Amino acid sequence: MNDSFENLLNELDLRLTQTDMYEKKHLNEIQKTKILQKNARTHQEIILQSRILVEHFLFYQSDSCLHYVNQAIQLAKEQNDKSTENQMICRKAIAYALRGLPWEGEILLDSLLKTPLDRNSKNEVYKAEIDILERFQNQDLPNELITRNYMRM
């Protein structure tokens, strides 16, 4: 049993030493995407790179995520790209929840559900609601939030 515990500690040490490597790799990917976004020639390319940045930052740095999600929403509106706009609003709701504001996220999702949505956009809303609920499953969320969301799905 002592060897097993020692092996576990060694594995943990190895993973911790690799954390910096993964962090550097992730930051490198973010920098590459920012360069691609800056050099993009069309609105669609800029939107694509903004969406990628949103995904990079969503669970990593919610403040940066909100910056890029707002940028993507604005560009999508300018291009009349409702699908991307709806998807980014869902990501914004998740980012709010990750910042400790699940009700703000819910307000965004509720506003989306009050508009005509295609099937993919509805699926994005429901996935976002599940993500929000899963992030807070170990916390005391009001029963009305949980019940309301599961009844909607």
Side-chain angles (χ1 to χ4, degrees), residues 15-31:
R15 298 289 179 219
L16 288 173
T17 60
Q18 292 176 346
T19 302
D20 287 340
M21 178 187 71
Y22 292 124
E23 178 84 9
K24 286 177 186 172
K25 184 178 179 183
H26 188 237
L27 291 173
N28 189 34
E29 289 298 317
I30 289 170
Q31 283 307 111

Side-chain angles (χ1 to χ4, degrees), residues 46-135:
I46 297 170
I47 289 172
L48 174 64
Q49 298 310 319
S50 295
R51 289 172 68 172
I52 292 170
L53 287 167
V54 166
E55 297 304 322
H56 275 302
F57 283 118
L58 185 58
F59 297 102
Y60 176 66
Q61 218 173 41
S62 60
D63 288 341
S64 294
C65 177
L66 288 170
H67 168 77
Y68 289 106
V69 82
N70 287 332
Q71 185 180 68
I73 289 169
Q74 185 61 41
L75 289 168
K77 283 180 180 178
E78 290 171 10
Q79 296 297 303
N80 200 26
D81 183 351
K82 289 303 278 179
S83 178
T84 296
E85 181 182 346
N86 293 339
Q87 182 186 31
M88 292 297 103
I89 290 170
C90 290
R91 295 299 186 273
K92 187 174 186 175
I94 295 168
Y96 277 146
L98 291 171
R99 292 183 77 201
L101 302 167
W103 287 110
E104 296 299 320
E106 282 298 311
I107 290 168
L108 287 175
L109 297 176
D110 284 346
S111 69
L112 269 181
L113 288 173
K114 291 177 183 171
T115 64
L117 298 173
D118 62 21
R119 184 178 181 93
N120 288 336
S121 293
K122 281 184 184 177
N123 287 340
E124 286 291 330
V125 171
Y126 296 141
K127 285 191 291 188
E129 288 186 338
I130 290 169
D131 280 346
I132 290 170
L133 291 173
E134 284 179 349
R135 300 280 170 250

